[in-house]
Structures are given as C-alpha cells and as structure tokens.
Amino acid sequence: MRQDKKSDNHGRLIPAWITDPIGEDPVILSTRLRLARNLDQFPFPHLADRPTLREIARIISSALDDRRAKSLRSLRVVQVSSLSDTEKAALVDSHLVSLLHVMSGPHRLALVDEHHTVSIMVNEEDHIRIQAILPGLMADAAWHEADKLDDALIQRLPIAYDGSYGFLTASLANAGTGMRISVMAHLPALAFLEKLGATWQAARALNTTVRGLYGEGGSNDGDVYQVSNSTTIGQTEKQIVGRMKAVAMYLHSEEESARTLVRKVRISDLKIQVQDAFTRIERATAMTAEEAMQLLSILRLGQILGLTTYVSHRMFCEMLASIRGSIGAIVNKDDRARDVFYEDTKRPALLRNRLRQEEKAAL
Amino acid sequence: MLSLNNDSVSDLSYENFFSDAEKQLDPGSLICPNCGTSLLDLYNDGRMGCGQCYSTFKSQVHRALIVLHGSTAHIGKSIHLDSDY
C-alpha cells in the first residue's frame, strides 16, 4: 500500500497533512494556523530597502539558530531566491509558504521542519509568519505547534507589541492576535446538490471568510474551499480556535448529510458524472489544473459513496498539492518549468497513470 | 486565478481610516517619525509602515479596527511569557 510513502516520484517530501493518517478526515482535509509577528522599530517589509531586509533576515535567522531550543532544532533555513522553480512551486502548493513570499525578491527566508508541518516565512507581508499545518481538524494541535515556536521567538527577539493593540502587523486585518486559521474543506456533495449558497451564508454569519482553493472564491476548483476567521482582535486565541472548530464541524456535518442524500436519491446522476469524468480523463490530450481537480472531485465523491473509482483520500490530497503547477511558469516566465506537473498536455497522462497505480494497489 | 497573499481576508480602503472631516485635511500633514509613512500613504496603501504607525495614526487605526473587527482591544496572548492568556 502507498500509505507509508512519505515522498513523491521526484523524491520530494510530502507534507504530514497529506501522509499522516492520524486526524485524517474525509471532509476537513487540513487545518492551517499562522501567527503574524514583527520586529520592533524596523519598517515592515513592504517599506524596507534591501539592506534593511537583509539585516532583518540576519537578526531573525541568528535568533532561530539555537540548538538548545527543541522547537527550533529541526528547522531548515533556506533563502527562497536560491530555490528552483520546482522547489518553490512544491512549497506553495503544499501550503507551506505563500506565492507572495516566493515572488517577493531577495532576503526572503523560509524555515521548514523535517515533517513539513511547521514553517516560518521571514519578510513576507510581516517580518515573521509562523505557520503550522496538520491533517483534518487538528486546530488545537496546530495552535500548540505554532505557539511553541512563537514563545521561542518572543524570548529571543524584540517583537512589535502594544498593550492595547496586541501584536502589531502590517495589515490591520491581522492586528491583535495576528492569528489566522484556515480549514480546507472538500464539499463535493453540497456542490452536487447546489446547496453551498446556504452553507456559506451560515458560515459567514459566524465571522468567517470563504475562498476557493486558489484564493479567488471560485466554485470550480475541485469543490475545495478555505474557510478562515475574519477577525483577529477582541477575542483570545482560544476563542478563535474554538469558533473555527465549530464552523469546521458545521461544514463537516452539512457535507456528511449531503453525501447521505446523494447516496439515497441521486446516485444514478452521480454514476453518469463519474463515467463522464473517466471518459474525459481517458480521451483528453490537455487539461487545466482546475478541470483536473473538478474531475477528481467527482471521482472522489464516487469512491466515498461506493462507486469504486480508486480515488483515495491520499491520492486526492496529493493531487491537490501538486497538480496546479502553473506557479512554476509564473514564478519565472523566462524559464518555463520543466516539471511534468507544469504542463497542461502532461496532466491527462499523469491522472491516468496515477489512477492505474491506485487500482493496482487496491487489488 | 491565483491570489498572491493566501492570508489576505479584507481589502482595506481609505474609508476605513478616515472620517469625513479628516478627508478634507492635507493627507501629508501627519508623518510617522520612525518610518516616514504619511496619512497619504495610508490613504493609498492601507498598510501600516512600522509598529510606531499604530500610535502615530491612533485615531485612524481605532476607526479601522472597529470597522474590520468590531473591537480595538487585544485580550489574547501577551509577550510576557509568564502571563496567563
């Protein structure tokens, strides 16, 4: 079985949120929590010149280079500008660093732990962005991981903080706790039944922001959505975590009910869509990442509801974290990325091969 | 298709920072002594230039936080590690 495999066919480590079966959930795919912090006195990155950015990066990397602190020991420091396009795309697609970060120029650091669970971006929108990403709805654990790193940083660095406003961030949308939790939810049955409108209305009433997989609120990206807290000040971290857990549990429950309904009354319609998806994958000579994810989403729903499509949870998440790929070309327009994932014409064959592998593994 | 900043949740615009009376003032009249950010920069960019901007532009910050979060009071983690949050 493939479940123990921790790296892909290119030897790249697959993040724990995809490989770790503990906490795995068929609706809430991952929980990402980040804390925004800045150094006192220094201009925020968008105002800092290159020497200042270099100095900020030096101060922070020196403070983090402390083998005595257990939370810091396993972090690997990389200059983002020294990474290949493929490496940048892999970090972004795995949600370990942002696209903004890999496109922002020199003196940007990325620190990533050996399991690809926690990461720190240096000189993104804020001087420091600490992040933890875990499978399923492990919001408390993600908070614990990020908080440990935060404590280590606060002990070692002069952090911009105000008794009234809390942690001072470049954007006022992050001020106070600086905490943003994003749960990634796969909602194919609610989409199939066209019930997402009512679901989002309820989620937004709970002070959350909803975006599509690729950040634009689109509905056609594999039925995967990111739901985040929209306020960061006036609540404790514990309250924010609690609220986001409640929202995620609500989404989970709505999607499970919708899946039951599809199984009971719409399974023949789903079978037709599953067959259409297989036909499209078999015949396609080119395919965008969005279309590929949409077809995989239908096949994944089919698998969950007993139609034997071989699209496992692990396969769906791996594809989610690798199939977009067009980032490679965006990062460096003059040097078209060579990775197989980055070309629309290679994507149908990639899907066909992977589906055959899954089928073989299941037999 | 792609959002550059995965964590941006709100588009900040000058309406969040300025009262009607303040919009009539010279936007270059108030400047952060630490980073040089002016009211005009806030008007154009919507971002703080440094930590000190929070005190330099206190009334604008207060108004924007109310609009964005419904609160201006941090009640979460303190930088004093021994505090109970």
Side-chain angles (χ1 to χ4, degrees):
Chain A
M1 294 296 288
R2 303 178 56 81
Q3 295 301 314
D4 296 324
K5 201 176 170 201
K6 298 281 196 288
S7 59
D8 65 11
N9 294 335
H10 299 249
R12 293 178 300 216
L13 188 82
I14 303 170
W17 70 266
I18 296 174
T19 59
D20 193 346
I22 298 169
E24 178 184 303
D25 185 271
V27 178
I28 306 299
L29 305 180
S30 70
T31 300
R32 187 162 54 101
L33 184 147
R34 75 107 171 95
L35 301 169
R37 305 288 186 248
N38 286 284
L39 299 186
D40 201 19
Q41 300 299 323
F42 284 93
F44 295 149
H46 69 280
L47 278 192
D49 57 19
R50 285 192 177 192
T52 309
L53 288 170
R54 189 193 303 127
E55 177 65 1
I56 291 164
R58 189 194 64 75
I59 291 170
I60 295 171
S61 56
S62 301
L64 290 169
D65 188 20
D66 186 346
R67 301 291 107 181
R68 290 166 301 171
K70 198 178 170 189
S71 57
L72 303 176
R73 207 173 295 156
S74 71
L75 292 173
R76 191 169 70 94
V77 187
V78 288
Q79 280 277 359
V80 172
S81 57
S82 72
L83 297 174
S84 69
D85 290 351
T86 305
E87 289 167 324
K88 288 176 185 172
L91 285 174
V92 174
D93 280 349
S94 299
H95 297 274
L96 291 163
V97 304
S98 67
L99 184 55
L100 174 71
H101 198 48
V102 299
M103 293 179 72
S104 290
H107 309 304
R108 267 73 186 180
L109 305 181
L111 295 92
V112 182
D113 79 324
E114 57 188 335
H115 304 296
H116 286 198
T117 295
V118 295
S119 56
I120 299 176
M121 289 184 279
V122 175
N123 285 331
E124 205 240 29
E125 183 178 85
D126 295 290
H127 296 142
I128 301 166
R129 289 274 177 105
I130 303 167
Q131 183 186 278
I133 183 165
L134 288 169
L137 184 52
M138 297 176 74
D140 290 309
W143 179 31
H144 180 66
E145 290 294 329
D147 197 43
K148 270 193 302 186
L149 275 179
D150 190 37
D151 286 348
L153 287 170
I154 289 170
Q155 281 175 336
R156 290 165 175 77
L157 290 167
I159 297 293
Y161 181 88
D162 177 272
S164 303
Y165 297 132
F167 292 96
L168 307 178
T169 53
S171 169
L172 289 173
N174 296 317
T177 58
M179 176 189 273
R180 184 86 54 212
I181 306 178
S182 299
V183 293
M184 189 155 65
H186 184 216
L187 307 173
L190 284 166
F192 189 84
L193 297 173
E194 298 180 358
K195 282 185 162 184
L196 278 171
T199 307
W200 295 145
Q201 210 172 356
R204 288 191 175 107
L206 291 165
N207 251 348
T208 59
T209 302
V210 179
R211 293 180 295 121
L213 172 60
Y214 299 146
E216 294 293 319
S219 59
N220 209 25
D221 299 337
D223 306 315
V224 176
Y225 295 86
Q226 297 184 70
V227 185
S228 324
N229 56 304
S230 50
T231 58
T232 56
I233 190 168
Q235 303 159 84
T236 65
E237 288 79 1
K238 193 175 178 180
Q239 286 170 327
I240 294 171
V241 170
R243 179 181 293 223
M244 285 309 299
K245 279 164 65 179
V247 171
M249 283 189 271
Y250 164 74
L251 293 176
H252 187 282
S253 155
E254 290 292 294
E255 173 64 16
E256 287 290 5
S257 301
R259 289 177 187 184
T260 303
L261 197 59
V262 172
R263 184 188 286 119
K264 282 183 179 166
V265 299
R266 298 284 304 277
I267 198 74
S268 52
D269 293 338
L270 181 64
K271 277 180 186 168
I272 293 167
Q273 289 206 15
V274 163
Q275 196 50 53
D276 288 348
F278 274 127
T279 305
R280 172 76 185 126
I281 291 169
E282 204 52 49
R283 292 181 184 171
T285 53
M287 192 179 282
T288 63
E290 290 81 358
E291 186 188 359
M293 283 316 301
Q294 200 52 39
L295 297 173
L296 281 170
S297 179
I298 283 293
L299 295 180
R300 175 72 192 131
L301 179 61
Q303 176 71 19
I304 290 166
L305 300 184
L307 297 182
T308 318
T309 65
Y310 304 110
V311 177
S312 62
H313 176 87
R314 167 76 179 261
M315 176 188 170
F316 187 75
C317 290
E318 270 190 47
M319 292 288 109
L320 201 60
S322 62
I323 209 160
R324 178 163 53 160
S326 51
I327 286 172
I330 292 169
V331 169
N332 187 348
K333 287 187 176 63
D334 299 327
D335 178 19
R336 294 281 301 178
R338 293 163 298 280
D339 193 285
V340 63
F341 296 122
Y342 298 153
E343 296 176 29
D344 286 1
T345 52
K346 299 280 178 62
R347 215 168 264 123
L350 170 76
L351 281 186
R352 287 192 289 269
N353 289 340
R354 185 60 196 267
L355 281 167
R356 275 194 282 273
Q357 281 176 15
E358 292 288 324
E359 185 177 358
K360 205 173 158 187
L363 291 175
Chain B
M1 179 182 88
L2 297 164
S3 171
L4 282 182
N5 188 342
N6 286 335
D7 288 324
S8 284
V9 296
S10 303
D11 289 325
L12 295 178
S13 62
Y14 72 92
E15 278 86 355
N16 290 336
F17 290 98
F18 295 83
S19 66
D20 288 341
E22 282 171 330
K23 284 174 196 165
Q24 308 304 317
L25 296 174
D26 173 11
S29 61
L30 189 57
I31 293 175
C32 175
N34 186 51
C35 70
T37 293
S38 67
L39 269 178
L40 184 62
D41 295 326
L42 278 189
Y43 183 104
N44 289 331
D45 189 70
R47 281 182 292 187
M48 302 285 108
C50 68
Q52 203 170 319
C53 284
Y54 278 76
S55 47
T56 306
F57 306 110
K58 196 172 175 113
S59 69
Q60 289 81 13
V61 167
H62 190 87
R63 194 171 302 111
L65 290 176
I66 290 288
V67 171
L68 288 167
H69 303 275
S71 172
T72 62
H74 176 61
I75 57 170
K77 182 172 183 171
S78 159
I79 60 169
H80 307 294
L81 289 177
D82 55 352
S83 69
D84 189 18
Y85 65 91

